[in-house]
Amino acid sequence: MIKLSKRLQMIADRVPKGSKVADIGSDHALLPTYLAQQGIIVSAIAGEVNPGPYEAAQRQVLESGLSKVIQVRSGDGLAVLETGEVDVITIAGMGGSLMASILDAGKSKLPGVKHLILQPNVGEDHVRRWLLENGWKLESEAILEEDGKIYEILTASTGSLEERDALESLYAERQLPGGVNVSKERLHQMGPYLINEAPEIWFMKWESELNKLAMIEAQLKLSTAEASIVKAEQVHKEINEIKEVLACLQKVKP
């Protein structure tokens, strides 16, 4: 029986029982294998564009005796799917910008899909924007630390363009209990649910991000170019706004 990492387990826990799943960028097909072994899914497609992981996924499925449940397919993104084949798509372990581009390129394959379970390594704001712009309802956000890295898992369900006002309201500028206003841009960046919940690991992530931004600002200040000066000012403003959010939420935490 497969034992998943903490990160993959958290993704698996969000897959509804009885689903037909596509795991895009499946690597060694660990997630679909686990889901099949646990009886959580009816069927799965493991998509992988790279030859090495594709072959590893084939071996995993074959050795697990799950060839009738899991199909391993070679291809880029959602190109491995036929429309209507699956009702849940999982994508994990890549940048948010790439993830959004995969979803955008594969829009024609999304009819019939009820849930997206997405774990971007960085650039979560790209994913949140794509979901909003394409009528998907962000239902939950989770955050975890594993092996010194912090990950976010975003779960979305099918909405409709008619529900756009309700979808937009999730990112409406809001005032935190401590009195700080949070913009739509900052909610995309920091997470509308995570800002509400503000778990300790989330604070750790943003302290780390502030350190990275401070280094970027310091590098930009070494240049006298006008573009660098403007960019440094923008980064400085971003640092201050993030600090305000963190300080405000630290004050109101029980």
Side-chain angles (χ1 to χ4, degrees), residues 26-41:
S26 195
D27 198 12
H28 287 57
L30 295 179
L31 179 60
T33 299
Y34 171 86
L35 292 169
Q37 288 176 339
Q38 297 297 318
I40 295 169
I41 58 171

Side-chain angles (χ1 to χ4, degrees), residues 216-254:
I216 292 170
E217 182 186 15
Q219 284 295 116
L220 288 167
K221 284 183 173 179
L222 296 176
S223 172
T224 57
E226 181 62 28
S228 295
I229 293 169
V230 170
K231 182 63 177 175
E233 290 172 352
Q234 292 171 346
V235 172
H236 185 74
K237 182 174 182 287
E238 182 177 6
I239 288 170
N240 285 341
E241 288 180 1
I242 292 171
K243 281 182 175 179
E244 280 185 348
V245 171
L246 297 183
C248 175
L249 292 174
Q250 286 282 20
K251 287 178 184 175
V252 298
K253 278 184 75 69

Side-chain angles (χ1 to χ4, degrees), residues 25-187:
S26 195
D27 198 12
H28 287 57
L30 295 179
L31 179 60
T33 299
Y34 171 86
L35 292 169
Q37 288 176 339
Q38 297 297 318
I40 295 169
I41 58 171
V42 173
S43 63
I45 295 164
E48 181 54 62
V49 70
N50 296 309
Y54 168 72
E55 291 163 8
Q58 285 185 310
R59 286 194 301 274
Q60 176 67 64
V61 172
L62 188 63
E63 291 169 5
S64 300
L66 292 168
S67 298
K68 291 184 179 179
V69 181
I70 304 171
Q71 295 182 45
V72 181
R73 298 181 186 173
S74 176
D76 191 6
L78 304 191
V80 299
L81 302 178
E82 296 296 329
T83 305
E85 276 191 304
V86 300
D87 49 30
V88 176
I89 292 175
T90 59
I91 313 178
M94 62 183 72
S97 180
L98 175 58
M99 194 173 286
S101 70
I102 285 172
L103 290 167
D104 208 56
K107 277 183 187 178
S108 65
K109 309 298 177 70
L110 292 176
V113 176
K114 297 175 183 175
H115 301 280
L116 298 173
I117 304 169
L118 310 169
Q119 182 267 297
N121 285 348
V122 294
E124 296 86 358
D125 57 314
H126 293 284
V127 178
R128 292 187 181 100
R129 284 193 191 92
W130 187 92
L131 293 171
L132 177 61
E133 289 166 4
N134 289 276
W136 286 81
K137 180 184 178 184
L138 181 64
E139 294 209 315
S140 69
E141 299 173 318
I143 189 167
L144 72 148
E145 185 273 334
E146 185 172 41
D147 297 332
K149 295 181 181 179
I150 296 175
Y151 303 100
E152 292 183 16
I153 298 170
L154 313 180
T155 304
S157 63
T158 42
S160 69
L161 294 179
E162 289 73 25
E163 297 174 304
R164 180 58 59 88
D165 287 347
L167 298 177
E168 287 275 5
S169 68
L170 184 61
Y171 297 99
E173 183 173 324
R174 66 180 76 164
Q175 188 175 78
L176 299 176
V180 170
N181 287 327
V182 185
S183 67
K184 179 179 179 178
E185 179 187 356
R186 205 63 61 214
L187 288 165

